[in-house]
Amino acid sequence: MRSALTIIKSAYTITTGRPSLWFFGLFLVGAVNPLLLHALGLQGRWPELLSINYALPFFGWPFLLSAPIIALIVFGMFVAITNIARVWLLAKVLLYLRDNSKRFSSVEGLADLVYKLVSWPEQIKPSAIVRDKFWPTFWVSIFTNIYYLVALLAIALPAIVLKGTEYAANQFIVVAIILFLPLAIFGMYLNIFTPFFIICFNQPLAKSLMQTWDLLVSRWRQILFFFLCIFGFYALSLFIISSLLETFHSTFLNILELFATSTQVSISSSGFLSSFGVTIIGWFLLGLLNVFFHVSMLLLFIYLVRPMSLGQVTHRVFQHTEG
């Protein structure tokens, strides 16, 4: 319990004390959220948008891109942008921890990781780390997203088959959610910890996946406990943010309508301005929250791989690193 509080407190200190990190939170997974869709009026229009075929010139010939291909292109671009933001953020945080390790000495294992990071050039820039580690971390994101899709389809398939019998389908949906939750938690940590091995210990992709598996299996109790702690804090923060945004939306809308000269103009313009304001503020706050989440996951990783308590698994990890 004390370690979880130390990690959360240190992550909060790093996040609030480094405004340069906040920008990257806007591009992390979760920061692009339904608030943006709500402001753009795209909710409920996805079937219409995905059914459109776009004609683009391709070496002088008309080339039709169907909705699935467009979706794959957009998905790939989204993963790439998210991955660049994540690796850049991690690089900046790791360099900050290397240069300020005494300030966060309460985080167990930090000194050992800083010792490993000493081999990094003194003046290395985060952009150099992003260029070096982009592709292996990118494929980790692709792999985990495919894992999510396969797991979700495998669990949901019986519910789709039982669609005609409403009671049986509803019963199975509950079971499917219960089954998918641990798989989702496992996939989340796989997606987060594997890039840490790649970046911190300069491991290849395959070895990083195996080491992440070893870490998750050997320390699953601590990981599950911290998951409950951090997501409790995350859920509470989301509730507070949503309440504040709802209050801001209604208050701002009322103020704009009071100063509007035309009723029709007030409804359209004030509604747009209020939605736009909610989108910007919500996007920023969720981005800030996602920075905190990634920093806390990095500190948790440092705590878990400290050699004094992980035994053979950590010995294997550091043995590979030194070799």
Side-chain angles (χ1 to χ4, degrees):
M1 181 65 178
R2 185 176 64 85
S3 299
L5 292 176
T6 300
I7 289 172
I8 293 175
K9 182 180 178 181
S10 300
Y12 175 81
T13 301
I14 294 171
T15 302
T16 56
R18 301 287 293 174
S20 60
L21 303 177
W22 300 352
F23 170 77
F24 300 99
L26 302 177
F27 303 96
L28 293 174
V29 174
V32 180
N33 54 83
L35 289 171
L36 185 61
L37 302 181
H38 177 75
L40 296 176
L42 297 180
Q43 288 176 321
R45 292 186 57 201
W46 290 111
E48 174 190 346
L49 294 173
L50 292 177
S51 65
I52 299 175
N53 288 330
Y54 294 87
L56 297 177
F58 185 72
F59 293 106
W61 294 86
F63 183 66
L64 293 180
L65 289 177
S66 62
I69 297 178
I70 294 174
L72 286 176
I73 293 174
V74 173
F75 170 72
M77 292 175 61
F78 175 76
V79 172
I81 293 172
T82 301
N83 190 59
I84 291 173
R86 179 172 63 170
V87 177
W88 207 307
L89 171 69
L90 292 177
K92 287 180 71 70
V93 174
L94 285 169
L95 291 173
Y96 175 71
L97 289 174
R98 184 188 68 173
D99 299 334
N100 299 271
S101 58
K102 292 182 180 179
R103 184 180 178 187
F104 300 98
S105 58
S106 58
V107 180
E108 297 181 57
L110 181 59
D112 299 289
L113 180 62
V114 169
Y115 173 77
K116 299 296 175 182
L117 297 178
V118 169
S119 59
W120 286 8
E122 184 66 27
Q123 301 300 323
I124 190 172
K125 295 182 178 180
S127 57
I129 300 174
V130 172
R131 286 194 301 269
D132 185 44
K133 304 300 181 185
F134 171 77
W135 284 111
T137 52
F138 173 81
W139 291 120
V140 170
S141 297
I142 293 294
F143 172 79
T144 50
N145 276 280
I146 294 174
Y147 159 82
Y148 279 132
L149 181 62
V150 172
L152 184 61
L153 289 177
I155 294 176
L157 186 60
I160 297 174
V161 174
L162 296 172
K163 187 177 180 180
T165 55
E166 184 177 350
Y167 176 77
N170 291 337
Q171 292 288 93
F172 192 84
I173 287 174
V174 175
V175 176
I177 293 174
I178 296 174
L179 291 175
F180 183 72
L181 185 60
L183 293 176
I185 296 174
F186 172 78
M188 181 196 72
Y189 278 111
L190 191 70
N191 188 36
I192 292 174
F193 284 170
T194 305
F196 291 170
F197 276 111
I198 293 173
I199 296 171
C200 297
F201 299 134
N202 198 30
Q203 296 295 315
L205 175 57
K207 186 177 290 185
S208 297
L209 284 169
M210 290 187 293
Q211 290 171 345
T212 302
W213 169 261
D214 287 342
L215 184 64
L216 293 176
V217 170
S218 62
R219 301 301 294 271
W220 69 270
R221 291 183 181 86
Q222 292 92 327
I223 290 172
L224 180 60
F225 174 75
F226 190 82
F227 171 83
L228 297 175
C229 292
I230 192 64
F231 270 85
F233 180 86
Y234 199 92
L236 178 62
S237 300
L238 283 178
F239 174 77
I240 294 174
I241 289 174
S242 62
S243 301
L244 290 175
L245 290 177
E246 184 65 29
T247 303
F248 169 82
H249 178 72
S250 58
T251 303
F252 190 62
L253 194 61
N254 291 333
I255 293 174
L256 287 176
E257 288 180 351
L258 286 175
F259 287 93
T261 57
S262 169
T263 305
Q264 186 169 357
V265 172
S266 70
I267 293 175
S268 58
S269 61
S270 62
F272 172 77
L273 290 174
S274 181
S275 297
F276 182 77
V278 167
T279 299
I280 298 300
I281 296 174
W283 195 0
F284 172 77
L285 292 177
L286 286 175
L288 188 63
L289 189 59
N290 283 320
V291 170
F292 165 80
F293 174 75
H294 279 74
V295 173
S296 65
M297 288 294 107
L298 177 60
L299 296 179
L300 173 64
F301 174 79
I302 293 171
Y303 173 78
L304 291 174
V305 300
R306 66 196 196 283
M308 295 79 73
S309 62
L310 194 53
Q312 284 187 322
V313 173
T314 303
H315 176 70
R316 258 202 326 272
V317 170
F318 278 81
Q319 193 176 46
H320 290 321
T321 304
E322 294 168 355

